[in-house]
Every structure is written in C-alpha cells, then in structure tokens.
Amino acid sequence: MIGYYVHHQGRGHLHRAVCVARHLRVPVVGFSSLPRPTGWRGTWIRLPLDADEGTGGPRDDRAARTDGPRDAGDPTAGGALHWAPRHHEGLRHRMDAITSWIARARPRLFVSDVSVEVALLARLTGTPVVVAAMRGDRFDRAHRLGYDIADALLAPWPAVVPEPDWPRHWRAKTVHTGAFSRYDGRSRVPPGDPAPGPRKVVVLLGAGGTDVDAAALRAAEASTSGWTWTFLGGPHGQWAEDPWPLLCGADAVVTHAGQNAVAECAAARTPALVIPQDRPHGEQRATAQALAAADLATVRMSWPAPREWQGLLDRTARRPGGRWAAWAPGDGARRAARLLEHLSAPPPHTTTRQGPLRTEGASCGSQ
C-alpha cells in the first residue's frame, strides 16, 4: 500500500500523480484538497485546506512565509517549515486525516508531491517517504529538512541536466526519470499535408498563475505576420481540458517553464519558446536554464519586446522537435512507478515486525 499526497496549486502535481498511479501494480491512496481526478484508480481522500480564504495563505507548500509577527500564527515555525500556522483547524484536521489513515493502513511508502510538512509527518510515523524534487534553490531550512529525511528524491527531468550544487547525499538518492506527462504514449495527432497560409503558434499559460497581462499578449500577437495565435489559459486565453491536438498541430509553442507544461510540449515533440515566470525558489528559471544548456528549446528569461517576436517564432519553428526525446523519453511515469514499487516491497524474510526500507533509488531510475 502506498499513500500519495498531491498539492492543490496548479494542475501539474495532480497530472503527475495520475500518470504514476496508472502504472502502479500495488494499491495507492491519494490525498489532496483537490477533487478526485478522472482516471484515479484507488481511494481518494479529500483534505481540508490549511489556509483561510482571503488570508494570503501559501500559494504553494514550497513558498515560505516570513512576513508578520510570530504571534500572528508563526506559519513557518521560525523558518524551519513552510506552512504550519498555529491553531488552524484546517491544518489540524488535514494532518489528522493523514496520520489516522497511516495508523489504519500501515502503508509501506508515502509520496509527497509536494509538501515538506506532509513528508515530515509521514516520516515521523516511521513510514518511508519519497519526495518529488523540484528545481531551483532548495537550500532553505525547510527544503533541506524535507530532502534530508526522504528515502528517495524523485526528479522528473533527465540525469544529463542535473541540478547544480546539490549535496552528495541528495544526489545519491535521486532517481531521474526524465520528464513525463499525461500524454506519454499517446499517438501524435498527424499534421496532415502542409497547407499554404499562416503558421500556428499556441501560447500555453496554464492554471498556476501568470506574470504576463493581456496587453502584452495582444502586443506580441500584433507584432507578427504569417502567424495565427491561440492562447490557452492566462488573462487572454481559453481553457482547454485537452490541448493535445492544438500542441501537435502547432508549428511552435510559447510556454512558461513549469515542469508539467514543458513535459506536455516535449511529449508533442513541438518546438517551443520557453519563458520562465517568477516562482518561489526560482524553479522555472532553473528549468529554463537546464533547457538552454541542453539546447532543447529557445529560451528567453523575460518576456520579449514586440519587435523580437517575429524572429523568435521563426527560429523556434526551425528547431527539430525530435530533440525533445532527450528531455521526455516517454517512459518516465513507468520508471517512477517501478521506483515506488521497489521501495514499497516488503524486505525478504519479513517476520512480524518490519525493519526500515533501504533505498536503491539510483539503480531503479536507470532501468
């Protein structure tokens, strides 16, 4: 039995969890403040929120809040945690739901994607923990604690572009699966015969917030000729539950550098212009830097001026989409599932009391 926590900000954590669970051959129970997703095969336990609406609670569990006096709730416990406000009923019931389930189900493993507090809670019950790793500066006290106590770190990016400056003990237990998304294994929509007329660009802004306003998007569109623009998400676009046909049919994609958005572009093998947005700990900037270092996408670290768009799109469209295979080989979710199965397997010659699992994470990721 495996427990699997899914953070409620954006949709990337949720999509990733569904992908991994689909390949698991052991029972898995999901925990999240999000509704049960379509396609989830196991039990789903809905958690209460740990922040009051309108209080400016955590945008995600990775963003430490240090503003305000300690007697206002001290949500970071003096900087040791990311979000644990004093006397919050939602937090109390949320943590109780997890520990009560652990006491009943006695899972072999718990996955945190991603919350330092949930990872620590599970580990304090004696349950081995896998933490979904994130790019960027993770050297604050809370992240160091979460990564240190993890039995394994699951890194959904290729080993050829590792995070720089990670300590040796983090690297030793990191399993690089390559990027993966809900579209892995899905047949690419055939583009058909090239037709005369404008080329197509899809702007993928997602559900996790955007730094770009509608005026900037309109200015970019107006500055190009020979291109038709489709906006998905953000202040100027529609929402598409399944953007796969649009991604496959585009000559270029403009996207932020969130892990899930980049993984979906890579699965479609469509050339991309990647523009990172501001996120806690510089996560998207670190992803963009890795893509640039591997020459897998056109990368701009800030939103281009209108005069730059024509040349950027023309150059991006000339990129060979097949290079994305180095970032997303297509079996990342399966690799992640095999890792979790390996770590949750009972040790040989198990008796009535179970000893701690020993992690051989790196070897699993290279299968």
Side-chain angles (χ1 to χ4, degrees), residues 43 105-106 115 133 137 146 149 178-179 191 240 246 281 294 296 301 318 363:
T43 301
R106 302 178 65 187
S115 164
D137 181 359
I149 61 98
L246 292 170
H281 309 283
L296 297 178
M301 301 307 288
R318 290 194 293 268
S363 62

Side-chain angles (χ1 to χ4, degrees), residues 227-253:
W227 287 91
T228 59
W229 292 60
T230 299
F231 298 94
L232 298 180
H236 191 54
Q238 57 187 338
W239 179 253
E241 281 296 330
D242 183 14
W244 180 250
L246 292 170
L247 294 176
C248 292
D251 297 283
V253 175

